[in-house]
Amino acid sequence: MNAYPAADDPVPVTAGANRMLDLRSDTVTRPTAGMYDAMQTAPLGDDVYGDDPTVNRLQEKAASLLGKESALLFPSGTQSNLAAVMSHCARGEEFIIGKGYHIVTYEAMGSAVLGSVAASVVPTDGNGQIPIAEIRSAIKAEDPHFPVSRLLSLENTHNGRVIPLDYVAEAAAVARESGLNVHMDGARMMNAAVALDVPPSKVVADVDTVSLCLSKGLGTPAGSVLAGPSDFIARARRIRKMLGGGMRQSGILAACGIYALDNQVARLADDHANAAQLAEGLARLSGGGLSVAAHNTNMVFIDVDDRHRQGLQERLAERGVRISGRSGTIRLVLHLDISAEDIDRIVDAFGYACGVS
Ligand SMILES: *Cc1c(COP(=O)(O)O)cnc(C)c1O
């Protein structure tokens, strides 16, 4: 018996008018029917031997889409970013990165623990960018008192915010003047490409290396690709093995990645439109102690008064809406499994939960 649905079946976990609308992240999506089909029919081999034709096809496709020499599939974005930092920086060297960026906030500081690489964490502005002056002053002079500044690490999108291309070009130029390489944590860089209406290669044209998550808005069950120069990817391959990321018949995952890149990039525009519609709907719920702080690409950020905050998650769950975060600004993320028709139900659920229905 198949544990997975046939390609032409509706995907059961996401079907039905009363299904839970999960706004915690764009990582919660289930494979679409077409994606299941791609998994079942993918030619497979042992990728540790370099023998999996589907993995090779994904890596070639990603490299070409991103305009880089080579690409490598990883089980996660965390491992891809860590391998990138460790491939750029040797023990005792450092990378410059913005405060709050994923690599230094949500990746257990693997760069320090496993790479012996120091993070030089510098402030960002209100738009999620590291001011150019901060980059300049963070780059250390050649002096035995200091670690060697080796890498500048950017993030796009950051909290859903698109980082402008001219900023990336300027930041990269400043880094290169001092011999630093530039990495982009582009977990959601396809959202930036779609929002800017430019080819993905343009978003990463000024950086040396990029990590792209296939499992966020693109909707695969797992996987990220790291792209960059061939010698860099060769180092990253050894580090991936060291980190336990060498996978065998991973063509099953790569097939999802190929399917996503072919079929689920342009539709990110739907998530952006749905986020705008949700922000608009929530802004109309006046008197409920709820305010919309920002909406960027596929994310909406809201603040809720303390008196409504208590039990908010539970009241939303009663109406089939799931959120994360019990304090501070709440992030709502739109994705493949939330349609335009679902937005009214979400707004109604917030109205109920905040007493303004
Ligand atoms: C999710 C994410 C990652 C890490 O990806 P995982 O696949 O969850 O390990 C890295 N950077 C950013 C900005 C992310 O949103």
Side-chain angles (χ1 to χ4, degrees), residues 27 75-79 81 102-103 107 155 157 185 187-188 213 215-216 223-224 331:
T27 56
S76 71
T78 298
Q79 194 179 82
N81 279 326
H102 202 277
I103 292 179
E107 300 182 8
E155 184 175 305
T157 62
D185 176 358
R188 296 189 180 85
C213 279
S215 59
K216 300 269 166 89
S224 281
R331 183 187 78 161

Side-chain angles (χ1 to χ4, degrees), residues 202-220:
K202 192 140 186 211
V203 176
V204 298
D206 291 301
V207 301
D208 299 290
T209 61
V210 55
S211 171
L212 161 68
C213 279
L214 301 168
S215 59
K216 300 269 166 89
L218 298 185
T220 75

Side-chain angles (χ1 to χ4, degrees), residues 1 20 29 39 66 85 103 125-126 138 140 162 168 173 194-195 205 207 232 236 272 295 300 313 318 320 356:
M1 206 184 77
M20 189 61 86
T29 58
M39 291 168 86
L66 298 169
V85 170
I103 292 179
D125 64 16
K140 293 187 171 62
V162 176
V168 175
V194 167
V207 301
F232 165 87
H272 301 175
H295 81 90
V300 180
Q313 280 176 321
E318 284 172 38
V356 285

Side-chain angles (χ1 to χ4, degrees), residues 139-177:
I139 297 174
K140 293 187 171 62
E142 174 55 48
D143 180 322
H145 291 87
F146 304 143
V148 175
S149 303
R150 186 62 75 199
L151 178 70
L152 170 67
S153 189
L154 304 176
E155 184 175 305
N156 195 7
T157 62
H158 174 63
N159 288 339
R161 273 205 176 80
V162 176
I163 305 300
L165 302 185
D166 54 358
Y167 165 81
V168 175
E170 193 183 353
V174 166
R176 289 217 179 84
E177 272 168 31

Side-chain angles (χ1 to χ4, degrees), residues 180-206:
L180 277 71
N181 290 330
V182 186
H183 174 67
M184 181 181 283
D185 176 358
R188 296 189 180 85
M189 55 127 326
M190 287 299 182
N191 293 78
V194 167
L196 293 168
D197 195 21
V198 299
S201 59
K202 192 140 186 211
V203 176
V204 298
D206 291 301

Side-chain angles (χ1 to χ4, degrees), residues 52-333:
D52 190 303
T54 309
V55 172
N56 293 338
R57 193 152 74 85
L58 169 67
Q59 291 174 165
E60 281 156 28
K61 185 182 184 73
S64 137
L65 261 177
L66 298 169
K68 304 297 177 201
E69 264 175 20
S70 296
L72 189 63
L73 174 65
F74 283 80
S76 71
T78 298
Q79 194 179 82
S80 169
N81 279 326
L82 176 56
V85 170
M86 290 174 68
S87 301
H88 280 295
C89 305
R91 181 165 186 254
E93 297 182 337
E94 69 166 13
F95 63 106
I96 295 164
I97 188 164
K99 186 167 192 287
Y101 285 8
H102 202 277
I103 292 179
V104 284
T105 313
Y106 300 115
E107 300 182 8
M109 214 51 113
S111 52
V113 179
L114 301 170
S116 298
V117 176
S120 171
V121 181
V122 297
T124 58
D125 64 16
N127 296 316
Q129 297 161 32
I130 311 170
I132 299 295
E134 295 284 354
I135 297 175
R136 282 191 197 283
S137 67
I139 297 174
K140 293 187 171 62
E142 174 55 48
D143 180 322
H145 291 87
F146 304 143
V148 175
S149 303
R150 186 62 75 199
L151 178 70
L152 170 67
S153 189
L154 304 176
E155 184 175 305
N156 195 7
T157 62
H158 174 63
N159 288 339
R161 273 205 176 80
V162 176
I163 305 300
L165 302 185
D166 54 358
Y167 165 81
V168 175
E170 193 183 353
V174 166
R176 289 217 179 84
E177 272 168 31
S178 301
L180 277 71
N181 290 330
V182 186
H183 174 67
M184 181 181 283
D185 176 358
R188 296 189 180 85
M189 55 127 326
M190 287 299 182
N191 293 78
V194 167
L196 293 168
D197 195 21
V198 299
S201 59
K202 192 140 186 211
V203 176
V204 298
D206 291 301
V207 301
D208 299 290
T209 61
V210 55
S211 171
L212 161 68
C213 279
L214 301 168
S215 59
K216 300 269 166 89
L218 298 185
T220 75
S224 281
V225 284
L226 179 63
S230 294
D231 57 342
F232 165 87
I233 291 296
R235 289 197 297 282
R237 187 187 295 275
R238 173 172 281 105
I239 291 166
R240 184 186 69 173
K241 185 69 194 166
M242 192 190 297
L243 298 174
M247 299 185 287
R248 302 296 178 174
Q249 285 71 38
S250 38
I252 286 179
L253 289 179
C256 297
I258 293 168
Y259 184 86
L261 291 173
D262 284 340
N263 300 286
Q264 295 181 173
V265 174
R267 65 148 306 284
L268 293 171
D270 301 345
D271 298 341
H272 301 175
N274 290 344
Q277 199 194 323
L278 178 59
E280 216 180 284
L282 293 176
R284 280 199 304 268
L285 292 178
S286 54
L290 181 154
S291 60
V292 176
H295 81 90
N296 310 307
T297 56
N298 66 330
M299 298 182 189
V300 180
F301 295 87
I302 58 168
D303 292 305
V304 176
D305 279 1
D306 287 346
R307 76 196 155 96
H308 296 295
R309 196 57 191 261
Q310 193 69 28
L312 179 69
Q313 280 176 321
E314 291 74 10
R315 287 192 301 280
L316 287 171
E318 284 172 38
R319 296 295 167 101
V321 171
R322 190 160 187 193
I323 63 163
S324 58
R326 291 192 179 267
S327 62
T329 298
I330 299 169
R331 183 187 78 161
L332 308 173
V333 189

